[in-house]
Amino acid sequence: MAEKSILITGGAGFIGSHLVRYFVNKYPNYSIFNLDKLTYAGNLENLKDIENAPNYTFIKGDICDRDTLKKLFEKYGIDSVIHLAAETHVDRSVNDPLEFVKTNVIGTLTLLQVAKEFWQKDNYEGKLFYHVSTDEVFGSLDLDGGYFTEDCKYEPHSPYSASKASSDHFVRSFYDTYKMPIVISNCSNNYGPNQFPEKLIPLFINNIRHNRELPVYGKGENVRDWLYVEDHVSAIDLIFHKGKIGETYCIGGKNEWKNIDIIKRVISITDELLGRESGASLKLIKFVTDRPGHDLRYAIDCTKLERELGWQPSYTFDDGIRKCIEWYLNNQEWLDQVTSGDYKNYYDKMYKGR
Ligand code: NAD
Ligand code: DAU
């Protein structure tokens, strides 16, 4: 019998696919169940290399669907949840906030309720609900305005961050009200392979390659704190195994970049790797109308995670960003498939009727 039966939600997405692969490979004694609705952001090709691993099962389904969740808990004896499934793109949330409430709020609450229903009878013995959240719930910092920590008040500005903030509150309410063992982490911007190319870094690498415009919002002065996705995953691993129940952990890269500066860095490396003259693609930069409610700066102080759990990121930015750009340039087919929607057929080809 498996040591643990872990339900990872959103495991076909960007961070989720890295997390699923890491857990499947590192913990052969755990059974990993990946529940994903396969929205535009979910792509099973991200997990091709482990899809036949004996400790891995994929289930196509929606976290809002209570019956599917109940069947999963019943059939597989789920004892831990690592919850990543979400609508995640701020710009989409500006256009369609309701979809974000459905998945991020109602979906999270539905999952919490089913976990409670199955776990409460054992007094939550050996159970854990790990909620993966974002630094955006804390709002925005001034350019010289300190750092986000676990003690910051919630002050979300976009429909996306408001929905994630709401989900965090529901998760904590289940700890306070029902004594469900929970843990929450709030992470800064991730970069790396397999990110859907509507987010800044993969979008810009793809556009540079195709000589398309690079739309910089406002003046490009907003600041983000960038972390290589595998370092986020190693933090999740530590928190899952050693985090204190009921606590929040902030995860960040101590790696702040003004958008326009990181964009120039991406242009410089991409041009070099494409064999173009240095700076040839700078001409593609186009300053466009700013994102409404655009948060000025995110920056994380992750001292608690370092001090209490001994976490350290393993990638320098120089190494991480080069590896990331190389991946997108070497995986043009992946980019073409996700931008054309072709990858949607993969589920039908590989899984339907299994
Ligand atoms: P993503 O958009 O790449 O992937 C989301 C995944 O969730 C997709 O596979 C999608 O199919 C799935 N999904 C969406 N709605 C679903 C539903 N109703 N039921 C089941 N599955 C559903 O997202 P990501 O960037 O990998 O982010 C994963 C998590 O990490 C999110 O909760 C996000 O808020 C959080 N986070 C992301 C970042 C970042 O920089 N990307 C930083 C901090 C926290
Ligand atoms: O901080 C964590 C968050 O990081 C996650 O919770 C979100 O899921 C994730 O999408 C990300 O949010 P951002 O809004 O910071 O990421 P995005 O890649 O959309 O944008 C990064 C910055 O670049 C932001 O300041 C907006 C700017 N931008 C983005 C795009 C897509 C542009 O200037 N032009 C663009 O075309």
Side-chain angles (χ1 to χ4, degrees):
M1 203 179 122
E3 237 173 86
K4 283 185 187 294
S5 285
I6 306 175
L7 177 64
I8 297 181
T9 69
F14 167 44
I15 302 168
S17 59
H18 287 272
L19 182 73
V20 164
R21 174 180 304 101
Y22 179 98
F23 266 61
V24 164
N25 289 333
K26 184 169 177 187
Y27 300 110
N29 295 336
Y30 294 177
S31 290
I32 306 298
F33 301 95
N34 172 11
L35 173 70
D36 199 297
K37 185 179 170 183
L38 299 181
T39 67
Y40 76 95
N43 182 357
L44 285 174
E45 299 221 18
N46 295 347
L47 291 165
K48 240 181 186 163
D49 54 326
I50 55 122
E51 70 187 6
N52 294 316
N55 62 337
Y56 172 68
T57 306
F58 173 74
I59 307 100
K60 184 176 177 185
D62 189 331
I63 55 165
C64 299
D65 178 355
R66 204 185 162 87
D67 288 341
T68 297
L69 294 176
K70 282 171 84 165
K71 277 185 202 140
L72 272 176
F73 273 70
E74 178 99 59
K75 183 167 175 194
Y76 298 120
I78 300 298
D79 53 42
S80 318
V81 172
I82 309 181
H83 175 38
L84 293 95
E87 287 294 332
T88 65
H89 188 41
V90 174
D91 295 328
R92 284 183 191 247
S93 83
V94 173
N95 292 331
D96 187 7
L98 198 54
E99 222 23 70
F100 284 68
V101 173
K102 284 183 194 154
T103 285
N104 301 1
V105 185
I106 313 273
T108 300
L109 181 55
T110 309
L111 189 55
L112 282 163
Q113 282 184 308
V114 171
K116 170 174 161 284
E117 193 179 316
F118 278 81
W119 294 351
Q120 208 172 24
K121 48 184 180 290
D122 302 330
N123 227 1
Y124 299 110
E125 198 59 46
K127 310 293 194 281
L128 181 66
F129 191 104
Y130 182 156
H131 180 57
V132 175
S133 192
T134 168
D135 60 357
E136 298 200 13
V137 297
F138 301 125
S140 181
L141 295 163
D142 290 336
L143 289 181
D144 54 0
Y147 296 90
F148 294 137
T149 70
E150 292 77 8
D151 299 324
C152 282
K153 68 173 181 181
Y154 277 48
E155 208 175 332
H157 297 129
S158 72
Y160 163 65
S161 52
S163 69
K164 289 297 289 188
S166 172
S167 67
D168 291 14
H169 292 319
F170 272 109
V171 173
R172 187 153 300 99
S173 79
F174 270 60
Y175 174 66
D176 293 333
T177 310
Y178 308 111
K179 309 290 172 238
M180 179 183 285
I182 63 105
V183 70
I184 300 175
S185 57
N186 297 88
C187 188
S188 63
N189 286 61
N190 286 214
Y191 68 97
N194 303 106
Q195 186 170 33
F196 193 82
E198 64 184 356
K199 305 278 173 78
L200 182 77
I201 290 186
L203 174 72
F204 276 37
I205 298 168
N206 200 29
N207 283 7
I208 294 168
R209 181 174 192 136
H210 292 290
N211 277 309
R212 293 187 197 127
E213 278 178 354
L214 306 173
V216 180
Y217 298 164
K219 295 187 175 137
E221 282 174 347
N222 304 64
V223 173
R224 297 292 183 264
D225 171 6
W226 294 93
L227 179 70
Y228 195 70
V229 62
E230 288 175 20
D231 283 325
H232 186 186
V233 164
S234 73
I236 294 176
D237 181 22
L238 259 186
I239 295 166
F240 177 78
H241 287 99
K242 298 196 176 136
K244 216 166 134 199
I245 300 300
E247 296 275 315
T248 286
Y249 294 89
C250 282
I251 312 171
K254 290 184 183 163
N255 179 39
E256 289 181 55
W257 286 81
K258 213 188 253 190
N259 287 345
I260 192 67
D261 294 336
I262 202 169
I263 287 164
K264 286 182 178 162
R265 188 98 182 83
V266 168
I267 289 173
S268 152
I269 301 171
T270 310
D271 275 347
E272 178 202 320
L273 292 171
L274 288 172
R276 291 184 188 165
E277 202 179 306
S278 169
S281 302
L282 285 169
K283 61 175 185 300
L284 300 174
I285 289 179
K286 183 170 185 216
F287 292 95
V288 298
T289 309
D290 209 352
R291 171 187 278 173
H294 196 173
D295 287 333
L296 180 59
R297 173 174 166 250
Y298 305 142
I300 288 272
D301 174 354
C302 54
T303 308
K304 176 177 173 182
L305 181 61
E306 291 175 341
R307 200 186 47 230
E308 294 184 11
L309 304 187
W311 177 78
Q312 282 295 328
S314 61
Y315 283 87
T316 63
F317 184 68
D318 274 355
D319 290 347
I321 194 68
R322 188 168 278 275
K323 187 171 165 166
C324 166
I325 295 171
E326 279 169 353
W327 188 87
Y328 287 101
L329 295 184
N330 292 332
N331 287 274
Q332 189 58 42
E333 203 185 321
W334 183 92
L335 276 167
D336 291 344
Q337 277 186 329
V338 297
T339 40
S340 72
D342 261 5
Y343 66 105
K344 292 277 170 219
N345 302 327
Y346 190 75
Y347 173 78
D348 290 347
K349 261 196 323 233
M350 296 305 296
Y351 283 88
K352 251 195 175 155
R354 259 195 188 185

